[in-house]
């Protein structure tokens, strides 16, 4: 058996005082004289006393943990966001608890409630489906909370947030294809009603409109059967042929995983990318660099999103004033996009 840990009672017996006096002295309580405090702290060091984290948290009402809700633990986008969260949390001495909502409001609420039961100090929620209409659910969030890329148009005013400018990102993608002389440009979206999907579709349409290019309904392919989100790669594989049949020469995909699916479909259909068809993704996940050809994408600053959100939560815990942040994505040009064939020299 291992050696028994030194307790406050052990120090109290050695010092000839009550365990309450020892407890107060170790917390630097002004009720205990400086001389006694220093004597007890010295004894604690000599006896290799290790504070009880649970007991301390009960005293100061802090558990030094934060809860993070993401839609999917397997999603590479959230892997990088969570890494950014952990970098800041680790520096602040906080532990991170992770849960998945699977893009379901009820599961999101259940995850938040679970974190409350664990008495976390704060909560970060990615891709939240909570809106200002969910007053009952909002009332349950009794600790500082930050939303990351909220997926509702009616985000609660009381909630703080860090988000990406989806509309700008979509415009960057489409304007890039336009600069390559593409005039028949499609959008390949996902089967949910998320804010990001709507904003990226809006940005796509705005870029075409500003360039004076045509917009056709069959140039937009959204897998919205039953309004449920299936695998993004599978969506890209299944919907690619619809856009090719419609005659597009360039496609802006909702995200990189959809674009990877589209690449796989192109290989099956013997469509050369970028010679026959240009593809642009969104997110900038690590995988986008390693597919063939490497994917042109609109890159989100994923690590920074996580860092900003975690720092915002720390500021809220310290009762500092914070402002919501909207970050700008950047276009990363790679091998999946090129000028039309007849524009090559």
């Amino acid at each position: 058996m291992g050696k028994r840990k030194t307790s406050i009672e052990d120090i109290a017996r050695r010092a000839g005082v009550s365990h309450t006096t020892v407890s107060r002295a170790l917390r630097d309580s002004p009720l205990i004289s400086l001389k006694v405090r220093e004597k007890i702290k010295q004894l604690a060091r000599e006896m290799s006393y290790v504070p009880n984290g649970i007991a301390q948290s009960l005293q100061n009402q802090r558990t030094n943990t934060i809860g993070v809700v993401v839609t999917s633990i397997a999603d590479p986008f959230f892997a990088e966001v969570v890494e950014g969260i952990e970098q800041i949390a680790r520096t602040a001495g906080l532990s991170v608890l992770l849960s998945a909502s699977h893009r379901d409001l009820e599961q999101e609420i259940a995850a938040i409630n679970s974190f409350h039961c664990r008495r976390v100090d704060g909560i970060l929620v990615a891709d939240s489906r909570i809106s200002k209409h969910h007053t009952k659910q909002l009332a349950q969030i009794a600790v500082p909370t930050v939303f990351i890329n909220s997926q509702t148009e009616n985000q609660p005013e009381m909630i703080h947030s860090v988000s990406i400018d989806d509309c700008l990102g979509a415009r960057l993608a489409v304007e890039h294809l336009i600069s390559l002389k593409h005039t028949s440009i499609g959008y390949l979206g996902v089967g949910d009603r998320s804010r990001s999907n709507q904003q990226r579709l809006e940005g796509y349409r705005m870029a075409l409109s500003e360039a004076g290019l045509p917009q056709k309904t069959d140039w937009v392919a959204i897998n919205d059967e039953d309004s449920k989100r299936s695998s993004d790669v599978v969506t890209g594989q299944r919907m690619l042929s619809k856009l090719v049949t419609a005659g597009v020469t360039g496609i802006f995909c909702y995200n990189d995983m959809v674009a990877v699916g589209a690449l796989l479909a192109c290989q099956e259909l013997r469509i050369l990318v970028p010679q026959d068809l240009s593809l642009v993704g969104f997110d900038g996940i690590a995988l986008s660099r390693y597919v063939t050809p490497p994917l042109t994408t609109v890159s989100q600053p994923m690590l920074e999103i996580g860092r900003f959100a975690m720092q915002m939560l720390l500021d809220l815990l310290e009762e500092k004033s914070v402002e919501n942040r909207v970050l700008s994505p950047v276009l990363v040009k790679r091998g999946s996009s090129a000028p039309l064939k007849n524009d090559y020299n």
Side-chain angles (χ1 to χ4, degrees), residues 180-342:
L180 296 174
K181 308 303 181 183
H182 291 275
T183 56
S184 304
I185 301 171
Y187 175 69
L188 210 169
V190 292
D192 61 14
R193 304 301 187 207
S194 66
R195 179 181 179 276
S196 58
N197 196 34
Q198 296 169 11
Q199 290 289 310
R200 292 174 198 182
L201 178 58
E202 180 182 341
Y204 157 82
R205 287 171 170 160
M206 287 175 62
L208 291 179
S209 177
E210 291 175 2
L213 293 178
Q215 300 183 45
K216 298 183 180 180
T217 55
D218 58 355
W219 287 359
V220 175
I222 296 179
N223 182 28
D224 57 359
E225 295 178 5
D226 300 322
S227 300
K228 292 182 180 179
R229 179 97 167 254
S230 60
S231 162
D232 290 348
V233 173
V234 172
T235 294
Q237 285 180 293
R238 289 178 177 174
M239 305 301 288
L240 184 280
S241 60
K242 176 183 176 183
L243 293 177
V244 171
T245 301
V248 301
T249 61
I251 298 175
F252 164 48
C253 300
Y254 169 76
N255 65 18
D256 291 342
M257 298 303 285
V258 169
V260 168
L263 274 174
L264 293 174
C266 286
Q267 292 175 2
E268 294 169 1
L269 297 171
R270 299 186 182 281
I271 296 170
L272 298 178
V273 176
Q275 295 89 334
D276 301 327
L277 181 70
S278 285
L279 296 175
V280 180
F282 198 113
D283 281 348
I285 61 174
L287 178 63
S288 66
R289 299 194 296 269
Y290 304 124
V291 294
T292 304
L295 191 62
T296 295
T297 185
V298 176
S299 178
Q300 297 197 52
M302 291 168 282
L303 284 174
E304 285 76 7
I305 289 173
R307 289 176 186 142
F308 278 129
M310 186 62 232
Q311 186 58 56
M312 184 179 289
L313 189 58
L314 289 178
D315 290 342
L316 290 171
L317 288 170
E318 296 175 7
E319 298 184 353
K320 296 179 181 179
S321 61
V322 300
E323 293 185 1
N324 292 344
R325 299 288 300 266
V326 179
L327 305 180
S328 298
V330 295
L331 180 72
V332 178
K333 300 177 185 178
R334 297 198 185 106
S336 68
S337 58
L340 284 171
K341 276 184 176 179
N342 56 10

Side-chain angles (χ1 to χ4, degrees), residues 26-59:
L26 293 176
R27 298 202 312 273
D28 270 328
S29 170
L31 296 175
I32 308 300
S33 70
L34 180 60
K35 182 178 180 180
V36 172
R37 273 185 273 165
E38 291 302 323
K39 176 184 175 182
I40 289 174
K41 286 180 182 179
Q42 180 61 35
L43 272 176
R45 287 192 289 270
E46 291 174 1
M47 298 172 70
S48 301
Y49 170 70
V50 178
N52 184 319
I54 295 175
Q56 283 191 328
S57 71
L58 289 172
Q59 292 164 356

